[in-house]
Amino acid sequence: MLKRDGRVVFWRWRRNPLRRSSDIAEAWIAVAAAAVLLLVVPVVGVVTAGAGERSALDRAQGLHRTAARLVEDAPATPTRFSGLADGQVPAAVRWRVPDGSSRTGVTSVPAGGKAGSSTTVWLDGAGRLRAAPPTPAQARSQGAALGAATGAGVCVLVAGMWWAVRVRLAARQRAQWDLAWEEFDSSRGHRHA
């Protein structure tokens, strides 16, 4: 038996006439929760991060860059609500597809571009505009963020389940103690109204 701060560590496993089966169950549930937190959560986080990174990189499959020309002047400053990357604004562009025809659409371009200036756009296999795929560094950071969020979610789930089980066990223990006290009192001749 180890002692820490005057308390006995691992008291739930030692022999004691007051130890209940719920004490042992609570101890094993705590061990299981700790094992999940220490072993499963990191694995889930790493696997999810890898899958998120691969998914981000897979978005680049089938996309290719091509030159386009601005149809109109691009706004000089991005709006707060454009939802685009820093320094990018939506603007109309024209580009040529492999069959030689030209198409027009709206995509994100650097702020302040003048009509007729060249820019780079990303197209899918059908020649439609697509958002620029993430760089490998961006894919890694997106995967890491996804992995961290998933790991944190699993931690919250495990901690919540552990807490719910403890609350349920505590209620059961209180009921057992109440019953034991009633039996003790009735054996001594006390009656409850």
Side-chain angles (χ1 to χ4, degrees), residues 85-136:
D86 290 337
Q88 298 284 307
V89 295
V93 295
R94 180 172 289 125
W95 68 97
R96 291 206 180 277
V97 290
D99 68 6
S101 63
S102 69
R103 295 193 183 168
T104 305
V106 176
T107 191
S108 60
V109 298
K114 300 295 179 197
S117 64
S118 182
T119 188
T120 301
V121 295
W122 288 87
L123 305 175
D124 63 13
R128 292 181 300 243
L129 283 174
R130 294 293 180 227
T135 65

Side-chain angles (χ1 to χ4, degrees), residues 12 24 26 52 63 72 74 116 127 130 135 188-189:
R12 293 182 194 279
I24 295 170
E26 184 178 348
L63 297 182
E72 61 189 14
R130 294 293 180 227
T135 65
R188 297 188 46 97

